């Protein structure tokens, strides 16, 4: 296991250094979730004792779990790195967009507009993210250096070959590359790495009591002020944790008694449903929901 994690770590550090070497204005997208936390840890190994050659950027939906925001701010303060936050809510007002509607008014799709705005504002030519190969099947079509056109759009038919770990970051003005250093990792790999490196996480990832809305499909959605509930909705208090941290209006909890990293690793080994399949309601809109969003500029 140690040798395997060493290989994954070395590859990710190599990719981060390639980004620093090939691009003029890169950024690392950071949400306070476990995958982006691992990316920050890898960046520390890649660049310390120097400063990061990129800022951390958070596209804030306004529907975040407070635990993730608190962790984000604490970590950035400890590291002394630059954090850029841009608000989806402000983008909605500025671009006169339609906010999410319905019982679970997700802003996940609207993140695309804010992401494209912040790329244009700071002229970022590369954005580093924590996508993994086991998250969603559209990822299988995507390269580690994923080129987007001047409109931020992704064309799966125009992916570049990546032979012998040679990454081509050459782009025309206005284009952007999305970079995925942990693209070859799985959810289990992330947790094994967190255990080995003793990485601190927001407590939302561990078992806690939470009042939830029990959906018709059996999902447990955190009861929060953004939901449009009615008298027939069932509220329950359960011991839950989160496998992924996103927009709280579309991210479900899972029942769990996992209080430690070892408990979580044991739980994942027995899981029969992927992280996103179990917890992201917006990925159930269609079979190609994620791919459609990515073609429009989503990360």
């Amino acid at each position: 296991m140690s040798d395997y994690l060493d290989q994954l770590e070395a590859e990710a550090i190599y990719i981060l250094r390639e980004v620093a070497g090939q691009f003029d204005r890169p950024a690392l997208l950071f949400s306070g979730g476990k995958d982006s936390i691992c990316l920050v840890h890898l960046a520390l190994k890649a660049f310390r004792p120097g400063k990061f050659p990129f800022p951390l950027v958070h596209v804030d939906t306004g529907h975040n779990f407070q635990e993730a925001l608190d962790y984000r701010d604490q970590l950035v303060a400890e590291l002394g790195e630059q954090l850029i936050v841009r608000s989806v809510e402000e983008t909605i007002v500025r671009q006169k967009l339609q906010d999410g509607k319905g019982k679970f008014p997700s802003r996940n799709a609207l993140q695309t507009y804010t992401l494209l705005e912040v790329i244009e504002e700071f002229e970022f030519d590369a954005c580093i993210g924590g996508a993994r190969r086991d998250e969603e099947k559209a990822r299988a079509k995507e390269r580690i250096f994923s080129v987007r056109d001047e409109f931020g759009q992704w064309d799966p038919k125009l992916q570049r070959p990546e032979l012998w770990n040679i990454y081509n970051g050459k782009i025309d003005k206005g284009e952007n590359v999305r970079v995925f250093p942990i693209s070859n990792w799985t959810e289990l790999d992330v947790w094994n790495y967190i255990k080995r490196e003793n990485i601190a996480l927001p407590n939302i990832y561990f078992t806690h009591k939470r009042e939830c809305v029990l959906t018709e499909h059996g999902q447990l959605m955190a009861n929060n002020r953004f939901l449009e509930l009615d008298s027939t909705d069932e509220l329950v208090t359960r011991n839950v944790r989160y496998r992924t941290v996103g927009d709280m209006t579309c991210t479900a909890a899972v029942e769990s008694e996992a209080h430690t990293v070892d408990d979580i690793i044991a739980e994942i080994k027995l899981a029969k449903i992927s992280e996103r399949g179990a917890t992201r309601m917006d990925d159930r809109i269609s079979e190609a929901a994620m791919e459609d969003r990515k073609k429009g500029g989503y990360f």
Side-chain angles (χ1 to χ4, degrees), residues 227-244:
L227 303 185
E228 298 289 339
L229 303 182
D230 54 49
S231 59
T232 63
D233 288 309
E234 182 181 358
L235 295 178
V236 297
T237 299
R238 300 279 175 83
N239 287 335
V240 299
R241 72 174 188 88
Y242 284 84
R243 290 175 70 179
T244 182

Side-chain angles (χ1 to χ4, degrees), residues 162-278:
E162 292 180 342
L163 306 175
W164 304 292
N165 294 329
I166 297 174
Y167 303 110
N168 180 4
K170 185 176 181 180
I171 55 175
D172 293 326
K173 185 174 177 58
E175 293 180 332
N176 180 272
V177 174
R178 312 292 168 81
V179 181
F180 306 109
I182 60 172
S183 184
N184 287 326
W185 298 38
T186 66
E187 182 186 13
L188 186 57
D189 295 332
V190 167
W191 281 104
N192 280 320
Y193 189 70
I194 287 168
K195 176 184 176 181
R196 190 185 80 169
E197 300 294 308
N198 194 27
I199 299 173
L201 293 175
N203 57 20
I204 194 171
Y205 281 110
F206 301 92
T207 294
H208 57 282
K209 284 191 180 296
R210 188 177 291 263
E211 184 179 65
C212 300
V213 181
L214 182 62
T215 72
E216 60 181 330
H217 299 294
Q219 291 180 307
L220 294 167
M221 308 298 299
N223 187 21
N224 61 80
R225 63 188 178 88
F226 304 109
L227 303 185
E228 298 289 339
L229 303 182
D230 54 49
S231 59
T232 63
D233 288 309
E234 182 181 358
L235 295 178
V236 297
T237 299
R238 300 279 175 83
N239 287 335
V240 299
R241 72 174 188 88
Y242 284 84
R243 290 175 70 179
T244 182
V245 177
D247 185 320
M248 68 170 64
T249 64
C250 66
T251 305
V254 294
E255 288 197 74
S256 174
E257 293 297 334
H259 295 276
T260 67
V261 173
D262 282 327
D263 292 341
I264 291 173
I265 289 171
E267 192 173 85
I268 292 171
K269 287 179 178 179
L270 297 175
K272 296 182 179 180
I273 303 177
S274 70
E275 176 183 320
R276 293 191 71 96

Side-chain angles (χ1 to χ4, degrees), residues 141 143 145-149 153-161 175:
K141 301 179 182 179
R143 301 293 187 263
F145 274 30
S146 180
V147 179
R148 308 300 176 95
D149 65 21
Q153 297 175 329
W154 174 66
D155 186 344
K157 297 179 181 179
L158 297 179
Q159 294 289 288
R160 296 171 175 177
E175 293 180 332

Side-chain angles (χ1 to χ4, degrees), residues 49-63:
K51 299 283 284 185
F52 290 175
F54 38 68
L56 307 181
V57 174
H58 183 203
V59 176
D60 183 355
T61 64
H63 290 176

